[in-house]
Amino acid sequence: MATSLLNLLLMEVAAIVSIILLALLVVLSSYRRRAGHPALRLFVWAASTLFLPLASYAVSAAAKWDAARVPLLLAWIVFLQILRNTIDTARCSSLTIDSNASGGSKFRPSVEQLARMGWVAFLIISSGGAAGSPELTGMLLWLWVLSLVKLIHRLVAAELAKSSFAVGLNAYVISDYMKQLNCQEQGEDSDSAQDGVPPYLVMGEEKLHIEARPQGYRISPVPSMSVDAGHVVTMDRIWRLSTAGDSLLASSPHIKDLCLSFALFKLQLRRFLGCPLAEVGSRRALAFLQEGILGGSPERAFAVIETELSFLADFLYSKLTCFYASGWWFPVLNSILVLATWTSCLATGGAIVHDMTNQGTALAQDYEELRNYLQHHDTVFHAIVGLDLLVTASFIVAIVFTEGWEIANYVRSDWIKVATVCEYARRPSWRKSRWTRSKLGRVLRFKAVQRWDDRFGQTSVLQSRLCYCGCVSRQVDRIAKTSVAVPASVKSAIVATLRTNQGTLGNGVLSLQRNGVADKLMWACRVAAGEKSISEQILVWHVATRLLEIKRSEGAHGIQDIGDNDSDTVVVATHLSRYCAYLVALKPQLLPDHPAWTEELYEGVVEEVTRVLARCAGPLVRYDRAATCLGGSMNETLRKAGKLARQLAEEVGDEEVVWMVLADFWTELILFLAPSENVTAHAKSLCRGGEFITVLWALLGHAGIVSRPDSAV
């Protein structure tokens, strides 16, 4: 009996841990940056994965020493499997990104899920159901069948989505449509689109006449559409509807930008599947960026791109696309199955309580034997019974919560808002009905659970460390990294630079020329002819910026934290400097240089900084002492940084001019770093919540800028 109690206790602890972690993962899956942490996902996966073999062992052992408990253990296993299936299908990827960008797409197999379902069925059947009441055994079998039906239902929906023009083949259709549109527009007046808004597809393209040709899909031409034209909804059609004074769009002005983000998401998806981009280098694409996306405030421009990337992350790493691709039948059938699961779980819980309290059942007799074994220890007995009830109730509550959360996440998602607006645009009767507009307005006011986390990482190379031990310290930095909200001044500076440079990228040279200091500082921007890498340039300018930041803080307050009193130029320069250092330190795959080279360079610089500051600077880093020590360092990068800091402080001008030069430089450099053909790195970044440089990468992509210039301007 003592052995059985120990095994039961282990089972209950493992079950409770699995329940908590699985439910936590469901909630955090709506907040990608928090759910994407590798340590958290590994811990959750280990806890939930180990529970099944542990429970299987307990079932086989209980069949020998305590057969009455087998139905209870089987119920927990079935409950856990329902939870696992919900989470696995909720977080499965619709597409896998080929590292070679070959354009191949495939839905992830669910062989593991089916294998687990088969094993659970074997456990139920092999137990024979002799120990439990017929009601409990029947409910367990029904729950297993229901879970299998739900799994098959989602696999079928995934397969249908894979072969549909709305999801699986959408990027190829959009690519060929954009090719035709680009050819069609070359001889047309630039004012043919509504207020500079091109007829990019929002929804309904699967209803077009699509014909496969040797060179790709041939799509029926889509003319500039009126408000009441057909099933296909384009961006200019939404804009015309808004311009016509529609009351629903007037009451929810953000809906236009939401539809714009959805259309841009479809354009962006082509890059992840290796489809050709017809608008690369196009003057019209650049004009659309300047007039369409950047036409409003900087906050609005970034919100459009961030929402676009949220759609893209949903498409790649959630099953919302299955809801979207299957029309009405998948959500309706899924809701029916969810309601059936809730009812069945509650009925199973009732059957378990019946077996525990009815004296004619084996489980009740087992509890009676346990009470006799414990004799006068009634408190221990009640604790064991209470723990059994707690585990069972926790499983039921977790299932109800996770299934309900999934439906709520869909109902509140931006996907259903776009689908609602497009259906509204197709139906004149809806637009004429005040009651319909009122109900739709309530749906459009829902806030999506999954939103872009508008933050970026910050790292400072110039800080005191006890020691730096290569990859070990790098992992410590990764765990202890800090992030801050992206300041509005940073967004404004980036938009202003994009408008000023008119699509021309430079590694800082253009900004130095505009500010009249190129003759003094050009040497720190040379990256041609193998003289210096971009990663080294970032570190040189970052260390110099940090030195000047220390100098400014000393001159202003005698402390090293100025905080809210910083001017916009200081905020832009310091935040972008620290973000670029963060990319070098923790995200080298998003930079132009080879990651191995960047890591080696960074480790060498940080090791030397740690040594120099420990020897020269003391516990509090001072500008004069630090600049002198770094200027005499054995590390070439740090010597250049010390020289650059001296030049900026002594030769450029007053402090305000220095920070203006630095702000313009860092704004131009971050835009130079953004274009890249390394789609895989950005896809992985989206899985973990996204990076600020991915926003810039997507923004420049819509201007037809998808790669950096061969040489710095």
Side-chain angles (χ1 to χ4, degrees):
M1 181 63 74
T3 303
S4 66
L5 286 177
L6 179 60
N7 288 332
L8 178 63
L9 181 61
L10 290 175
M11 275 289 301
E12 289 169 336
V13 171
I16 292 175
V17 171
S18 299
I19 293 167
I20 294 174
L21 291 177
L22 288 171
L24 181 65
L25 188 59
V26 169
V27 176
L28 291 183
S29 65
S30 302
Y31 306 94
R32 296 183 193 90
R33 187 178 294 274
R34 298 172 179 84
H37 198 286
L40 173 64
R41 294 193 53 76
L42 177 62
F43 189 47
V44 172
W45 173 84
S48 59
T49 300
L50 291 176
F51 178 79
L52 184 58
L54 179 62
S56 302
Y57 163 76
V59 168
S60 61
K64 300 177 181 178
W65 45 259
D66 195 0
R69 287 204 171 267
V70 169
L72 183 61
L73 299 177
L74 287 176
W76 293 352
I77 292 175
V78 173
F79 288 151
L80 178 75
Q81 190 55 41
I82 294 175
L83 274 176
R84 282 292 301 268
N85 286 347
T86 300
I87 293 171
D88 288 346
T89 54
R91 292 189 58 84
C92 69
S93 171
S94 297
L95 295 171
T96 54
I97 305 302
D98 184 5
S99 59
N100 297 321
S102 63
S105 65
K106 59 182 180 180
F107 282 78
R108 283 186 179 176
S110 296
V111 176
E112 182 184 351
Q113 291 174 282
L114 293 173
R116 289 200 303 262
M117 290 295 297
W119 178 249
V120 172
F122 169 76
L123 291 176
I124 295 175
I125 295 173
S126 62
S127 69
S133 65
E135 293 82 2
L136 179 56
T137 303
M139 287 308 305
L140 292 180
L141 289 173
W142 167 246
L143 270 179
W144 181 88
V145 171
L146 192 60
S147 182
L148 181 63
V149 170
K150 287 177 61 180
L151 180 59
I152 294 175
H153 160 243
R154 296 184 180 190
L155 292 179
V156 169
E159 285 300 316
L160 292 177
K162 181 177 75 170
S163 58
S164 72
F165 286 119
V167 176
L169 303 176
N170 187 261
Y172 307 105
V173 172
I174 296 294
S175 177
D176 292 329
Y177 170 79
M178 290 299 296
K179 187 190 306 181
Q180 293 177 215
L181 185 64
N182 190 57
C183 295
Q184 177 183 334
E185 288 183 341
Q186 283 180 352
E188 295 182 0
D189 183 17
S190 60
D191 295 330
S192 59
Q194 172 72 22
D195 296 331
V197 180
Y200 291 165
L201 293 168
V202 179
M203 195 170 288
E205 59 270 18
E206 69 275 7
K207 300 297 183 181
L208 291 170
H209 178 69
I210 302 173
E211 181 183 358
R213 296 286 185 87
Q215 292 77 26
Y217 290 110
R218 176 66 184 175
I219 303 159
S220 297
V222 181
S224 199
M225 292 189 171
S226 66
V227 169
D228 296 325
H231 188 84
V232 180
V233 179
T234 57
M235 275 170 44
D236 58 331
R237 182 175 175 182
I238 297 293
W239 254 250
R240 282 189 173 87
L241 185 61
S242 175
T243 305
D246 182 81
S247 59
L248 179 63
L249 294 181
S251 63
S252 304
H254 66 282
I255 293 301
K256 286 200 313 180
D257 287 340
L258 188 63
C259 293
L260 172 60
S261 298
F262 196 76
L264 296 180
F265 137 69
K266 292 189 172 185
L267 297 178
Q268 199 68 249
L269 185 61
R270 297 171 298 164
R271 301 176 71 178
F272 286 82
L273 296 180
C275 299
L277 307 181
E279 63 271 30
V280 170
S282 166
R283 179 177 55 84
R284 287 180 179 271
L286 182 59
F288 170 63
L289 173 70
Q290 299 278 0
E291 301 169 11
I293 299 178
L294 303 181
S297 66
E299 289 289 345
R300 179 254 180 187
F302 276 87
V304 167
I305 302 301
E306 289 165 1
T307 305
E308 167 201 339
L309 293 176
S310 293
F311 281 125
L312 189 58
D314 288 339
F315 187 91
L316 297 174
Y317 302 111
S318 81
K319 77 170 197 309
L320 283 174
T321 48
C322 292
F323 283 97
Y324 161 71
S326 55
W328 62 268
W329 72 268
F330 182 87
V332 171
L333 185 55
N334 185 71
S335 299
I336 293 173
L337 290 174
V338 167
L339 290 174
T341 301
W342 288 353
T343 305
S344 301
C345 286
L346 292 174
T348 304
I352 291 173
V353 173
H354 172 269
D355 275 25
M356 293 174 68
T357 57
N358 192 332
Q359 295 301 321
T361 62
L363 187 56
Q365 294 174 5
D366 182 73
Y367 280 120
E368 187 63 29
E369 293 176 3
L370 179 61
R371 180 191 288 273
N372 295 333
Y373 173 77
L374 294 173
Q375 294 180 352
H376 302 295
H377 298 86
D378 286 344
T379 303
V380 177
F381 171 76
H382 289 304
I384 294 173
V385 175
L387 201 55
D388 286 347
L389 289 174
L390 176 63
V391 171
T392 304
S394 298
F395 267 123
I396 295 174
V397 170
I399 290 172
V400 172
F401 170 75
T402 54
E403 300 274 6
W405 183 272
E406 181 183 85
I407 294 178
N409 193 26
Y410 170 67
V411 172
R412 296 169 61 93
S413 71
D414 287 335
W415 291 77
I416 200 170
K417 294 177 188 175
V418 173
T420 300
V421 171
C422 290
E423 194 63 28
Y424 176 78
R426 297 184 188 117
R427 295 179 181 269
S429 60
W430 286 18
R431 300 197 296 272
K432 296 176 182 178
S433 171
R434 180 178 299 178
W435 182 88
T436 302
R437 292 197 305 270
S438 173
K439 298 302 180 184
L440 294 182
R442 294 181 182 179
V443 174
L444 297 178
R445 282 193 291 270
F446 286 149
K447 290 186 178 180
V449 176
Q450 297 194 12
R451 305 299 300 176
W452 186 265
D453 193 0
D454 191 20
R455 303 176 68 84
F456 56 4
Q458 301 283 279
T459 293
S460 174
V461 172
L462 202 61
Q463 61 181 341
S464 298
R465 293 179 172 89
L466 294 177
C467 64
Y468 191 85
C469 305
C471 61
V472 176
S473 296
R474 182 184 295 273
Q475 292 303 318
V476 173
D477 290 345
R478 193 182 303 276
I479 295 173
K481 67 179 180 180
T482 59
S483 64
V484 299
V486 180
S489 55
V490 169
K491 298 177 181 179
S492 299
I494 288 173
V495 170
T497 300
L498 282 172
R499 288 173 175 162
T500 300
N501 290 353
Q502 292 291 316
T504 303
L505 298 181
N507 68 325
V509 176
L510 294 176
S511 68
L512 298 181
Q513 291 174 346
R514 283 198 307 271
N515 289 302
V517 294
D519 56 332
K520 298 183 180 71
L521 306 179
M522 182 79 76
W523 66 269
C525 294
R526 291 173 185 160
V527 295
E531 293 181 7
K532 183 170 55 176
S533 73
I534 282 290
S535 300
E536 185 179 2
Q537 181 184 355
I538 291 173
L539 292 177
V540 167
W541 282 84
H542 166 71
V543 173
T545 303
R546 284 289 293 125
L547 287 171
L548 292 176
E549 187 181 0
I550 294 171
K551 182 177 185 293
R552 178 175 182 273
S553 64
E554 290 174 354
H557 300 289
I559 58 174
Q560 296 194 29
D561 186 12
I562 299 179
D564 297 335
N565 297 322
D566 290 341
S567 64
D568 285 346
T569 54
V570 174
V571 170
V572 171
T574 56
H575 280 75
L576 288 181
S577 168
R578 292 175 186 237
Y579 180 64
C580 289
Y582 160 82
L583 293 176
V584 173
L586 301 178
K587 302 290 180 180
Q589 64 275 14
L590 294 174
L591 295 176
D593 296 333
H594 194 282
W597 157 258
T598 303
E599 290 177 1
E600 183 178 343
L601 173 70
Y602 175 77
E603 290 175 2
V605 168
V606 175
E607 286 176 2
E608 181 65 10
V609 166
T610 303
R611 187 187 65 81
V612 169
L613 293 184
R615 179 170 54 89
C616 302
L620 189 63
V621 179
R622 297 289 183 180
Y623 167 74
D624 289 330
R625 184 69 171 163
T628 302
C629 291
L630 294 176
S633 168
M634 294 185 295
N635 186 282
E636 183 182 3
T637 301
L638 294 178
R639 290 200 304 272
K640 291 177 179 178
K643 174 185 175 182
L644 177 60
R646 292 287 190 187
Q647 279 190 279
L648 286 166
E650 299 169 4
E651 302 177 17
V652 170
D654 60 24
E655 185 181 63
E656 185 177 349
V657 174
V658 170
W659 285 106
M660 182 177 65
V661 169
L662 287 172
D664 291 346
F665 167 82
W666 283 113
T667 305
E668 184 177 309
L669 183 63
I670 193 68
L671 289 171
F672 179 80
L673 298 175
S676 169
E677 296 179 358
N678 188 2
V679 177
T680 304
H682 287 286
K684 293 179 179 178
S685 169
L686 287 174
C687 180
R688 294 176 174 85
E691 287 290 342
F692 182 67
I693 196 172
T694 302
V695 177
L696 302 180
W697 174 79
L699 181 66
L700 292 175
H702 294 306
I705 304 172
V706 296
S707 60
R708 304 176 190 90
D710 294 334
S711 60
V713 176

